[in-house]
Amino acid sequence: MRQILTPSGGLVGEAPVDIEMTVRLYRAMVFARAYDRKSMSLQRQGRLATYAPFEGQEAAQVGAAAALEPDDWLVATYRDAAAMWMQGYPLELLFAGRTGHEAGGRPPDHVNVMPPSITVGGHMLHAVGLSWAEKLRGSSRIAMTMFGDGATSEGDFHEAMNFAGVFGVGVVFVCQNNGWAISLPRSQQTASETIAEKAIAYGMPGVQVDGNDVFAVHEAATEAADRARSGGGPTLIEAVTYRMGPHTTADDPGRYRDPEDAEDWERRDPLERVRVYLSERDRWSAEWQAEVESRTFDEVERAITLAESLYDPDPSHIFGAVFESSTPTLDAQRRELESLLEDDD
Amino acid sequence: MRQILTPSGGLVGEAPVDIEMTVRLYRAMVFARAYDRKSMSLQRQGRLATYAPFEGQEAAQVGAAAALEPDDWLVATYRDAAAMWMQGYPLELLFAGRTGHEAGGRPPDHVNVMPPSITVGGHMLHAVGLSWAEKLRGSSRIAMTMFGDGATSEGDFHEAMNFAGVFGVGVVFVCQNNGWAISLPRSQQTASETIAEKAIAYGMPGVQVDGNDVFAVHEAATEAADRARSGGGPTLIEAVTYRMGPHTTADDPGRYRDPEDAEDWERRDPLERVRVYLSERDRWSAEWQAEVESRTFDEVERAITLAESLYDPDPSHIFGAVFESSTPTLDAQRRELESLLEDDD
Amino acid sequence: MAELTIAQALNAGLALALEEWDEALVMGEDVGRTGGVFRITDGLQDRFGADRVIDTPVAESGIVGVGFGMAVVGMRPILEMQFMGFSYPAFDQVVNHVARIRHRSRHRFTAPLVIRIPYGGGIGAAEHHSESAEAIYAHTPGVKVVVPSRPHDAKGLLLAAVEDPDPVIFLEPIRLYRSVKEDVGEGPVRVAIGSAAVEQQGSDVTLISYGAMMRECREAASAMTAEGVSVELVDLRSLVPLDVETIVRSVEKTGRAVVVTESPRTGGFASEIVTVIQEQALYSLQAPIRRVTGWDTVFPLKRGESLYLPSTERVLRALRATLED
Amino acid sequence: MAELTIAQALNAGLALALEEWDEALVMGEDVGRTGGVFRITDGLQDRFGADRVIDTPVAESGIVGVGFGMAVVGMRPILEMQFMGFSYPAFDQVVNHVARIRHRSRHRFTAPLVIRIPYGGGIGAAEHHSESAEAIYAHTPGVKVVVPSRPHDAKGLLLAAVEDPDPVIFLEPIRLYRSVKEDVGEGPVRVAIGSAAVEQQGSDVTLISYGAMMRECREAASAMTAEGVSVELVDLRSLVPLDVETIVRSVEKTGRAVVVTESPRTGGFASEIVTVIQEQALYSLQAPIRRVTGWDTVFPLKRGESLYLPSTERVLRALRATLED
Ligand SMILES: Cc1ncc(C[n+]2csc(CCOP(=O)(O)OP(=O)(O)O)c2C)c(N)n1
Ligand SMILES: Cc1ncc(C[n+]2csc(CCOP(=O)(O)OP(=O)(O)O)c2C)c(N)n1
Ligand SMILES: [Mg+2]
Ligand SMILES: [Mg+2]
């Protein structure tokens, strides 16, 4: 398992990025954690529908997404808000989805990030098609897809990996192995020793990294992205990490896992080691961090307010998005709904 | 790639079976080839619907099936008639299916062989369930499933292998890599070097053998069956072989492959090497072989005649097999059909 | 007398099934350790062990395909799909194998399994969590399709489904899981698969539905009754086999009918019900049969949900319009 | 004037599509080297290269899921499922992604792809090779479903489907692939998706079908005409969007209708057509609308096929019975 920055903040080998970039990565992780915690409390206040927290996985998401060019494709899941935000998905849209509004599914035109995948497994195939098509059209864009340890059990994972291998498609497969698929531990998800070694079955390189080490994740992701962009084909990265919180706000981990595990993983916190690393180099201060956090909270407050202020959907909202242009049957159904609503007021 | 009997009939290492067993295996292969060739001609005469020939794959099917106990489960495909026959599936039923009669799908009660799978991939999961359930019920029966190189690309292959690995189910996965999936060569089916190495992704042993070497196939299959029966879990066997004929009688290999390949593979014929091995040990004669072949032709003639003499289906045949007991809707539809037929005569 | 919710009745029914049949087992994602995302299998693994209440990898086709093999050997697998929107990866196994093995093997091999599928909207869930695709299963020869709307039937149909020699798609109305309690009867009671329930006798109009929409239909029926209109309320309970006789007899009596489902309209099961009525009771019809259904659109997220799901008000309007025709 | 079979018309249409749109590509199992199991893509790889006519591994979900991603970037993938019975592994990708991305992303991302699916029985094939499951696709909001019954429409609908900004399920009637030839017109003609064809005007009864069953319907219509009965013959050509207006106008005129499909009856698309008619033309109906369909059984193998598939004789009986009612 590749590791560059130890939990205590020491270097094994060489830092893959300079100090400025390290600060940027750290700031992103601080932002991510603050966003995640704020979201949890917003959910408790009933301002968000169920929320899937990613605390503990900040390094995996930030380190991987930071390896992408601004216009590369990211195809990720319900738990990957940090990565999606890194790639340009606006906070207010992430929240819009979480408040139950489809507007959250439409990123700005220059942002090549797919709406978060709610089904497990299917979206990896989309990344293969996206990257392949970009190549066919002569663009140098690549696609990165993120998924969990549980997703590797779906047939679509297999078909996506196999297509990518056969056609040499430039896709970066990032598995955040956070130890659990809801209540199923990684050990019972698959009998392979690592998830990284599954790459062998598809003739592609696979690498397992300490997913809580932003240096290791970022280095592996950068290598994979370069390989993809230069026609070297796909790569599977297994980022070994841990989901510190529940699967979602509807889940109670107490039913299936030992609280001690979490304590264990707290000692391997992805942020703390970078904080130590930076402060040893006089690039960290409590004030600065508090500053970043409070700015995050303001950001989040602004974003959630914006999301909540979106107009609730009207008939055109649901009937207008089935096809580019409506059909007689849809028009008739829409009139039926509209007449119902009119009579209501 | 494991090989014990070279194409020229020489031994590398030790024969896994004694001479008597070798004679039995050879006789089965002679039978299989004669059956296969006769079936091709029957199809040309219009007495069978499309037929999927397996010439060239006799050693893979015979060697693997011979490793099973009489009551073990076999879950195979449209191309595995030889293996199914080895495990007790009556010839006349194999033919019944080929003449387009469902009777072909019902083996005798003591024969634990599923009807041949027409869909590619889905049946491997069934083998996992069969073997698992036998274990849950305290029986020592195991299941062997056969499939092709193309089938390994289906999501169900992945899910079957993964379930077997996770639950340690005693299944013998036998992939007959015959080089082609209709018109797609193995090299474009997957980017992995071998199919055997896909086993790593599921934490199970995988072995690649010369699929035209009945000794190598039989030895590997026996090891795998013993492992499965003794609670050692699943094994993936890749039998490297070649489909000498067309995909089916509806296919024209001339459209996609070089005839020279076949000539090449003729030199690695699975029967010839055993013939040499036996004759060097004075256990083979042309008369004896001719005898086996002509008995096979009689067998086949008897079987096809039996299959053809089956009554054609009547309404009860299709309405009676939807559920154990009929429903008012099915009864009404059946009466509708019966009245149509009555008025016809 | 045990007063239980649908969720509790299902849990009790599963426990009874595991007691009654050694061959019965429960298999699915998160059904063991955590008792399923809806807690329907709560406590069963502790009680019956990990060999009979099995947590699987995240692979729906695998769950159904492996369960199929188990059923062929004589087990009675009770399989859980976490939500209907996640049952599609297993669709091939259901259509091509589960539904056909009896026909394919001329009764030698059968698949007496149950696939439990929570379905329907109304809980403000994320995408794929509000599906109502019962029509695609009902259109698959070889599987039965049942859908309870109340605790008693939930338990009785579940036990009948496990006992059934053929595969049963068992649909569970998510938004009714914990809505009402009722006496579910002692022990392993059964509700016959294929029999509809006439919940309320009436003479003016027949109101037909099943599953989650029964709540709105009950509200509408009592509102109409209060207005002096006599509504006959039919809960199909079983889509395959369909209790055509009960449906037709009712419409022959009332001459009018409204059919309510929450699935998209085109090709929904409401169309089958309407068709059966017009085939067998056309001359009794005094007005066109009305469908109250979801729309031919994607099911909206929380904030648009109320635009999609048929409301009691919509059912009432349809009833009134039908009576005025 | 080119007289082509449906198979030839499809091949010509695909070639035109690949010429007309740089974004168009063909992808599927055996579509390249060998031109597909039905030779519909014959010669296209030689002509347009392996980058645009792509042989894939044996993985239907992969074909549709990868094609989906390509379409999102602006390609126009024309995907082939080898037989309808092998399209089910891709059902999840169709329902959960292809059909929904426009809604999910509020038009930012779309999937303008075509999924070609040979369907239907009558060729004495092995199991899974005779499916007619159009109803499950027609019940999926977000995809269009078209099904030509003649060479001209095969070419025109295919080009319209490739050009369509939304995903189209393109059903191909296997047993008509090589049955008849007709002039398919020069160049990239289009047949509008959503428009039915009234093949024969009539006043006594409306006969409605689509795809492969049109052959039996045409035979029945001419037989009745010979007997002096005036049959209006409607070929729907498109199930979604459905040309309700043409259907209703016809039945309002004739007062009688027979709907013919080869799929299982319960939940088949015939039920939707019957329902639409009874909703909008009940008072014009002089007799119950009859369905002539396959049965609610598994599709039998060769030797039982004739028991299952609706024959011209069955269509004739239904027409006569309807006229006698
Ligand atoms: C096809 C499908 N099956 C089941 C589910 C229900 N489900 C949601 S998340 C999840 C577990 C996924 O685990 P993993 O892939 O490890 O991702 P994580 O939640 O740990 O980030 C499951 C089973 C789903 N969303 N989609
Ligand atoms: C799910 C599915 N997809 C496609 C097909 C059509 N088909 C029949 S055989 C075949 C190729 C299978 O190749 P392989 O697994 O190597 O077996 P072989 O025919 O070489 O023995 C295909 C694509 C099918 N039967 N089932
Ligand atoms: Mg996980
Ligand atoms: Mg092969």
Short mmCIF file of all heavy atoms in Angstrom, two decimals, chain B residues 56-102:
data_model
loop_
_atom_site.label_atom_id
_atom_site.label_comp_id
_atom_site.label_asym_id
_atom_site.label_seq_id
_atom_site.Cartn_x
_atom_site.Cartn_y
_atom_site.Cartn_z
N GLY B 56 -13.20 -30.29 -31.66
CA GLY B 56 -11.98 -29.64 -31.20
C GLY B 56 -11.99 -29.46 -29.69
O GLY B 56 -10.95 -29.31 -29.06
N GLN B 57 -13.19 -29.47 -29.09
CA GLN B 57 -13.30 -29.23 -27.65
C GLN B 57 -13.64 -30.52 -26.88
O GLN B 57 -14.02 -30.47 -25.71
CB GLN B 57 -14.37 -28.15 -27.40
CG GLN B 57 -14.10 -26.86 -28.14
CD GLN B 57 -15.14 -25.78 -27.94
OE1 GLN B 57 -15.40 -24.99 -28.84
NE2 GLN B 57 -15.76 -25.71 -26.77
N GLU B 58 -13.46 -31.68 -27.52
CA GLU B 58 -13.86 -32.93 -26.87
C GLU B 58 -13.09 -33.19 -25.59
O GLU B 58 -13.65 -33.60 -24.57
CB GLU B 58 -13.65 -34.11 -27.83
CG GLU B 58 -14.53 -34.09 -29.07
CD GLU B 58 -13.91 -33.34 -30.24
OE1 GLU B 58 -12.87 -32.66 -30.05
OE2 GLU B 58 -14.46 -33.43 -31.35
N ALA B 59 -11.80 -32.91 -25.60
CA ALA B 59 -10.99 -33.20 -24.41
C ALA B 59 -11.42 -32.32 -23.24
O ALA B 59 -11.51 -32.77 -22.10
CB ALA B 59 -9.51 -32.99 -24.70
N ALA B 60 -11.70 -31.06 -23.54
CA ALA B 60 -12.10 -30.12 -22.48
C ALA B 60 -13.39 -30.60 -21.82
O ALA B 60 -13.50 -30.65 -20.59
CB ALA B 60 -12.28 -28.72 -23.06
N GLN B 61 -14.36 -30.99 -22.63
CA GLN B 61 -15.65 -31.39 -22.08
C GLN B 61 -15.58 -32.76 -21.40
O GLN B 61 -16.07 -32.93 -20.28
CB GLN B 61 -16.73 -31.39 -23.17
CG GLN B 61 -17.03 -29.99 -23.68
CD GLN B 61 -18.24 -29.96 -24.59
OE1 GLN B 61 -19.19 -30.73 -24.41
NE2 GLN B 61 -18.23 -29.06 -25.55
N VAL B 62 -14.96 -33.69 -22.06
CA VAL B 62 -14.89 -35.05 -21.50
C VAL B 62 -13.99 -35.08 -20.27
O VAL B 62 -14.35 -35.63 -19.23
CB VAL B 62 -14.37 -36.04 -22.58
CG1 VAL B 62 -14.01 -37.38 -21.95
CG2 VAL B 62 -15.42 -36.21 -23.67
N GLY B 63 -12.84 -34.45 -20.36
CA GLY B 63 -11.91 -34.46 -19.24
C GLY B 63 -12.49 -33.80 -18.01
O GLY B 63 -12.31 -34.29 -16.89
N ALA B 64 -13.23 -32.72 -18.19
CA ALA B 64 -13.80 -32.02 -17.05
C ALA B 64 -14.98 -32.80 -16.46
O ALA B 64 -15.02 -33.07 -15.25
CB ALA B 64 -14.26 -30.62 -17.47
N ALA B 65 -15.91 -33.21 -17.31
CA ALA B 65 -17.10 -33.91 -16.81
C ALA B 65 -16.72 -35.21 -16.11
O ALA B 65 -17.38 -35.63 -15.15
CB ALA B 65 -18.07 -34.17 -17.96
N ALA B 66 -15.66 -35.84 -16.57
CA ALA B 66 -15.25 -37.13 -15.98
C ALA B 66 -14.81 -36.98 -14.53
O ALA B 66 -14.66 -37.96 -13.81
CB ALA B 66 -14.13 -37.75 -16.81
N ALA B 67 -14.58 -35.73 -14.09
CA ALA B 67 -14.14 -35.51 -12.72
C ALA B 67 -15.31 -35.46 -11.75
O ALA B 67 -15.12 -35.37 -10.53
CB ALA B 67 -13.34 -34.21 -12.64
N LEU B 68 -16.53 -35.51 -12.28
CA LEU B 68 -17.72 -35.38 -11.42
C LEU B 68 -18.21 -36.73 -10.92
O LEU B 68 -18.01 -37.76 -11.56
CB LEU B 68 -18.85 -34.70 -12.20
CG LEU B 68 -18.62 -33.23 -12.60
CD1 LEU B 68 -19.76 -32.75 -13.50
CD2 LEU B 68 -18.49 -32.35 -11.36
N GLU B 69 -18.86 -36.71 -9.76
CA GLU B 69 -19.59 -37.88 -9.28
C GLU B 69 -20.89 -37.94 -10.07
O GLU B 69 -21.38 -36.91 -10.56
CB GLU B 69 -19.89 -37.74 -7.78
CG GLU B 69 -18.66 -37.76 -6.88
CD GLU B 69 -17.92 -39.09 -6.97
OE1 GLU B 69 -18.61 -40.14 -7.07
OE2 GLU B 69 -16.68 -39.08 -6.99
N PRO B 70 -21.50 -39.14 -10.16
CA PRO B 70 -22.71 -39.28 -10.99
C PRO B 70 -23.83 -38.32 -10.61
O PRO B 70 -24.60 -37.89 -11.47
CB PRO B 70 -23.13 -40.73 -10.75
CG PRO B 70 -21.88 -41.43 -10.35
CD PRO B 70 -21.07 -40.43 -9.58
N ASP B 71 -23.92 -37.95 -9.33
CA ASP B 71 -25.06 -37.09 -8.94
C ASP B 71 -24.66 -35.63 -8.73
O ASP B 71 -25.44 -34.83 -8.21
CB ASP B 71 -25.75 -37.64 -7.69
CG ASP B 71 -24.81 -37.66 -6.49
OD1 ASP B 71 -23.60 -37.42 -6.68
OD2 ASP B 71 -25.30 -37.90 -5.37
N ASP B 72 -23.46 -35.25 -9.13
CA ASP B 72 -23.07 -33.85 -9.05
C ASP B 72 -23.85 -33.04 -10.09
O ASP B 72 -24.37 -33.60 -11.06
CB ASP B 72 -21.56 -33.69 -9.31
CG ASP B 72 -20.72 -34.05 -8.10
OD1 ASP B 72 -21.22 -33.98 -6.97
OD2 ASP B 72 -19.54 -34.43 -8.30
N TRP B 73 -23.90 -31.74 -9.86
CA TRP B 73 -24.62 -30.86 -10.79
C TRP B 73 -23.72 -30.39 -11.92
O TRP B 73 -22.55 -30.05 -11.70
CB TRP B 73 -25.14 -29.63 -10.05
CG TRP B 73 -26.30 -29.92 -9.16
CD1 TRP B 73 -26.26 -30.19 -7.82
CD2 TRP B 73 -27.68 -29.97 -9.54
NE1 TRP B 73 -27.55 -30.41 -7.36
CE2 TRP B 73 -28.42 -30.27 -8.39
CE3 TRP B 73 -28.34 -29.78 -10.77
CZ2 TRP B 73 -29.81 -30.40 -8.42
CZ3 TRP B 73 -29.72 -29.90 -10.79
CH2 TRP B 73 -30.44 -30.21 -9.62
N LEU B 74 -24.28 -30.36 -13.11
CA LEU B 74 -23.59 -29.77 -14.25
C LEU B 74 -24.50 -28.69 -14.85
O LEU B 74 -25.68 -28.94 -15.11
CB LEU B 74 -23.26 -30.83 -15.31
CG LEU B 74 -22.56 -30.30 -16.57
CD1 LEU B 74 -21.17 -29.73 -16.25
CD2 LEU B 74 -22.43 -31.41 -17.63
N VAL B 75 -23.95 -27.50 -15.00
CA VAL B 75 -24.71 -26.37 -15.54
C VAL B 75 -23.90 -25.84 -16.71
O VAL B 75 -22.92 -25.11 -16.53
CB VAL B 75 -24.90 -25.27 -14.49
CG1 VAL B 75 -25.88 -24.21 -15.00
CG2 VAL B 75 -25.39 -25.85 -13.16
N ALA B 76 -24.29 -26.23 -17.91
CA ALA B 76 -23.47 -25.94 -19.09
C ALA B 76 -24.27 -25.25 -20.18
O ALA B 76 -25.40 -24.80 -19.95
CB ALA B 76 -22.84 -27.24 -19.59
N THR B 77 -23.68 -25.17 -21.35
CA THR B 77 -24.28 -24.36 -22.43
C THR B 77 -24.67 -25.19 -23.65
O THR B 77 -24.43 -26.40 -23.72
CB THR B 77 -23.29 -23.28 -22.93
OG1 THR B 77 -22.38 -23.89 -23.87
CG2 THR B 77 -22.49 -22.68 -21.79
N TYR B 78 -25.22 -24.46 -24.60
CA TYR B 78 -25.62 -24.99 -25.91
C TYR B 78 -24.51 -25.75 -26.63
O TYR B 78 -24.77 -26.49 -27.56
CB TYR B 78 -26.07 -23.81 -26.78
CG TYR B 78 -25.04 -22.70 -26.77
CD1 TYR B 78 -23.96 -22.71 -27.65
CD2 TYR B 78 -25.10 -21.68 -25.82
CE1 TYR B 78 -22.99 -21.73 -27.60
CE2 TYR B 78 -24.13 -20.70 -25.75
CZ TYR B 78 -23.07 -20.74 -26.65
OH TYR B 78 -22.10 -19.77 -26.57
N ARG B 79 -23.25 -25.50 -26.24
CA ARG B 79 -22.15 -26.17 -26.96
C ARG B 79 -21.59 -27.36 -26.20
O ARG B 79 -20.63 -27.98 -26.63
CB ARG B 79 -21.02 -25.16 -27.26
CG ARG B 79 -20.07 -25.64 -28.37
CD ARG B 79 -18.94 -24.68 -28.62
NE ARG B 79 -19.41 -23.35 -28.96
CZ ARG B 79 -19.97 -23.03 -30.12
NH1 ARG B 79 -20.12 -23.96 -31.05
NH2 ARG B 79 -20.38 -21.81 -30.34
N ASP B 80 -22.19 -27.69 -25.05
CA ASP B 80 -21.56 -28.67 -24.17
C ASP B 80 -22.24 -30.03 -24.15
O ASP B 80 -22.27 -30.71 -23.11
CB ASP B 80 -21.49 -28.07 -22.76
CG ASP B 80 -20.68 -26.78 -22.75
OD1 ASP B 80 -19.68 -26.69 -23.49
OD2 ASP B 80 -21.08 -25.83 -22.04
N ALA B 81 -22.78 -30.45 -25.27
CA ALA B 81 -23.51 -31.72 -25.34
C ALA B 81 -22.65 -32.89 -24.84
O ALA B 81 -23.14 -33.78 -24.15
CB ALA B 81 -23.98 -31.98 -26.76
N ALA B 82 -21.36 -32.87 -25.16
CA ALA B 82 -20.50 -34.00 -24.76
C ALA B 82 -20.43 -34.09 -23.24
O ALA B 82 -20.59 -35.17 -22.66
CB ALA B 82 -19.11 -33.83 -25.36
N ALA B 83 -20.22 -32.98 -22.60
CA ALA B 83 -20.13 -32.97 -21.13
C ALA B 83 -21.48 -33.38 -20.52
O ALA B 83 -21.53 -34.18 -19.57
CB ALA B 83 -19.74 -31.58 -20.64
N MET B 84 -22.57 -32.87 -21.07
CA MET B 84 -23.89 -33.20 -20.53
C MET B 84 -24.18 -34.70 -20.69
O MET B 84 -24.68 -35.35 -19.78
CB MET B 84 -24.96 -32.35 -21.21
CG MET B 84 -24.86 -30.86 -20.86
SD MET B 84 -26.01 -29.85 -21.82
CE MET B 84 -27.58 -30.41 -21.15
N TRP B 85 -23.79 -35.23 -21.84
CA TRP B 85 -23.99 -36.67 -22.08
C TRP B 85 -23.15 -37.48 -21.09
O TRP B 85 -23.64 -38.44 -20.49
CB TRP B 85 -23.60 -36.98 -23.53
CG TRP B 85 -23.45 -38.43 -23.82
CD1 TRP B 85 -24.46 -39.35 -24.01
CD2 TRP B 85 -22.22 -39.15 -23.92
NE1 TRP B 85 -23.92 -40.59 -24.23
CE2 TRP B 85 -22.56 -40.50 -24.19
CE3 TRP B 85 -20.88 -38.78 -23.83
CZ2 TRP B 85 -21.58 -41.48 -24.36
CZ3 TRP B 85 -19.90 -39.76 -24.00
CH2 TRP B 85 -20.26 -41.10 -24.25
N MET B 86 -21.93 -37.04 -20.85
CA MET B 86 -21.07 -37.72 -19.88
C MET B 86 -21.74 -37.80 -18.51
O MET B 86 -21.61 -38.75 -17.77
CB MET B 86 -19.76 -36.95 -19.70
CG MET B 86 -18.81 -36.97 -20.87
SD MET B 86 -17.80 -38.46 -20.89
CE MET B 86 -16.82 -38.21 -19.40
N GLN B 87 -22.47 -36.72 -18.17
CA GLN B 87 -23.07 -36.63 -16.85
C GLN B 87 -24.48 -37.24 -16.83
O GLN B 87 -25.19 -37.14 -15.86
CB GLN B 87 -23.08 -35.16 -16.38
CG GLN B 87 -23.34 -34.94 -14.89
CD GLN B 87 -22.33 -35.64 -13.99
OE1 GLN B 87 -21.37 -36.24 -14.43
NE2 GLN B 87 -22.58 -35.59 -12.69
N GLY B 88 -24.84 -37.90 -17.94
CA GLY B 88 -26.08 -38.67 -17.92
C GLY B 88 -27.26 -38.10 -18.69
O GLY B 88 -28.36 -38.65 -18.68
N TYR B 89 -27.04 -37.00 -19.38
CA TYR B 89 -28.14 -36.40 -20.14
C TYR B 89 -28.37 -37.26 -21.39
O TYR B 89 -27.48 -37.39 -22.23
CB TYR B 89 -27.79 -34.98 -20.55
CG TYR B 89 -28.96 -34.01 -20.57
CD1 TYR B 89 -29.26 -33.24 -19.45
CD2 TYR B 89 -29.76 -33.86 -21.69
CE1 TYR B 89 -30.31 -32.34 -19.46
CE2 TYR B 89 -30.82 -32.97 -21.71
CZ TYR B 89 -31.09 -32.21 -20.58
OH TYR B 89 -32.15 -31.32 -20.58
N PRO B 90 -29.55 -37.86 -21.54
CA PRO B 90 -29.78 -38.79 -22.65
C PRO B 90 -29.68 -38.11 -24.02
O PRO B 90 -30.17 -36.99 -24.20
CB PRO B 90 -31.21 -39.29 -22.41
CG PRO B 90 -31.49 -39.02 -20.97
CD PRO B 90 -30.73 -37.76 -20.66
N LEU B 91 -29.08 -38.81 -24.95
CA LEU B 91 -28.93 -38.29 -26.32
C LEU B 91 -30.26 -37.84 -26.90
O LEU B 91 -30.35 -36.79 -27.52
CB LEU B 91 -28.35 -39.37 -27.23
CG LEU B 91 -26.83 -39.53 -27.33
CD1 LEU B 91 -26.51 -40.38 -28.56
CD2 LEU B 91 -26.16 -38.18 -27.43
N GLU B 92 -31.29 -38.67 -26.71
CA GLU B 92 -32.57 -38.33 -27.37
C GLU B 92 -33.12 -37.01 -26.84
O GLU B 92 -33.80 -36.28 -27.55
CB GLU B 92 -33.59 -39.45 -27.17
CG GLU B 92 -33.88 -39.81 -25.74
CD GLU B 92 -32.97 -40.95 -25.24
OE1 GLU B 92 -31.83 -41.07 -25.74
OE2 GLU B 92 -33.41 -41.68 -24.34
N LEU B 93 -32.77 -36.68 -25.60
CA LEU B 93 -33.26 -35.40 -25.06
C LEU B 93 -32.43 -34.24 -25.61
O LEU B 93 -32.95 -33.16 -25.90
CB LEU B 93 -33.21 -35.42 -23.54
CG LEU B 93 -34.16 -36.43 -22.88
CD1 LEU B 93 -34.18 -36.24 -21.38
CD2 LEU B 93 -35.56 -36.30 -23.45
N LEU B 94 -31.13 -34.47 -25.78
CA LEU B 94 -30.31 -33.44 -26.41
C LEU B 94 -30.88 -33.15 -27.80
O LEU B 94 -31.03 -31.99 -28.20
CB LEU B 94 -28.86 -33.90 -26.50
CG LEU B 94 -28.12 -33.98 -25.16
CD1 LEU B 94 -26.77 -34.69 -25.33
CD2 LEU B 94 -27.91 -32.59 -24.58
N PHE B 95 -31.25 -34.23 -28.48
CA PHE B 95 -31.81 -34.04 -29.82
C PHE B 95 -33.21 -33.42 -29.77
O PHE B 95 -33.57 -32.59 -30.59
CB PHE B 95 -31.86 -35.37 -30.57
CG PHE B 95 -30.54 -35.76 -31.16
CD1 PHE B 95 -29.99 -37.01 -30.88
CD2 PHE B 95 -29.83 -34.89 -31.97
CE1 PHE B 95 -28.76 -37.38 -31.43
CE2 PHE B 95 -28.61 -35.25 -32.51
CZ PHE B 95 -28.07 -36.51 -32.23
N ALA B 96 -33.99 -33.82 -28.78
CA ALA B 96 -35.35 -33.27 -28.68
C ALA B 96 -35.28 -31.74 -28.64
O ALA B 96 -36.00 -31.05 -29.37
CB ALA B 96 -36.04 -33.82 -27.44
N GLY B 97 -34.38 -31.23 -27.82
CA GLY B 97 -34.22 -29.78 -27.76
C GLY B 97 -33.85 -29.22 -29.12
O GLY B 97 -34.40 -28.21 -29.57
N ARG B 98 -32.95 -29.93 -29.79
CA ARG B 98 -32.48 -29.45 -31.09
C ARG B 98 -33.55 -29.54 -32.18
O ARG B 98 -33.45 -28.87 -33.21
CB ARG B 98 -31.25 -30.26 -31.53
CG ARG B 98 -30.01 -30.01 -30.68
CD ARG B 98 -29.44 -28.64 -30.95
NE ARG B 98 -28.24 -28.36 -30.16
CZ ARG B 98 -27.70 -27.15 -30.03
NH1 ARG B 98 -28.27 -26.12 -30.62
NH2 ARG B 98 -26.61 -26.96 -29.32
N THR B 99 -34.56 -30.40 -31.95
CA THR B 99 -35.64 -30.42 -32.95
C THR B 99 -36.70 -29.38 -32.57
O THR B 99 -37.72 -29.26 -33.26
CB THR B 99 -36.34 -31.80 -33.00
OG1 THR B 99 -36.97 -32.04 -31.72
CG2 THR B 99 -35.35 -32.91 -33.30
N GLY B 100 -36.50 -28.68 -31.45
CA GLY B 100 -37.46 -27.65 -31.05
C GLY B 100 -38.58 -28.19 -30.18
O GLY B 100 -39.73 -27.79 -30.31
N HIS B 101 -38.26 -29.11 -29.28
CA HIS B 101 -39.26 -29.67 -28.38
C HIS B 101 -38.80 -29.50 -26.93
O HIS B 101 -37.68 -29.89 -26.59
CB HIS B 101 -39.47 -31.16 -28.67
CG HIS B 101 -40.77 -31.70 -28.14
ND1 HIS B 101 -41.10 -31.67 -26.81
CD2 HIS B 101 -41.83 -32.26 -28.79
CE1 HIS B 101 -42.30 -32.21 -26.65
NE2 HIS B 101 -42.77 -32.56 -27.83
N GLU B 102 -39.66 -28.89 -26.10
CA GLU B 102 -39.28 -28.64 -24.70
C GLU B 102 -38.96 -29.91 -23.93
O GLU B 102 -38.28 -29.85 -22.89
CB GLU B 102 -40.39 -27.88 -23.95
CG GLU B 102 -40.44 -26.39 -24.21
CD GLU B 102 -41.18 -26.03 -25.49
OE1 GLU B 102 -41.78 -26.94 -26.11
OE2 GLU B 102 -41.14 -24.85 -25.88
#
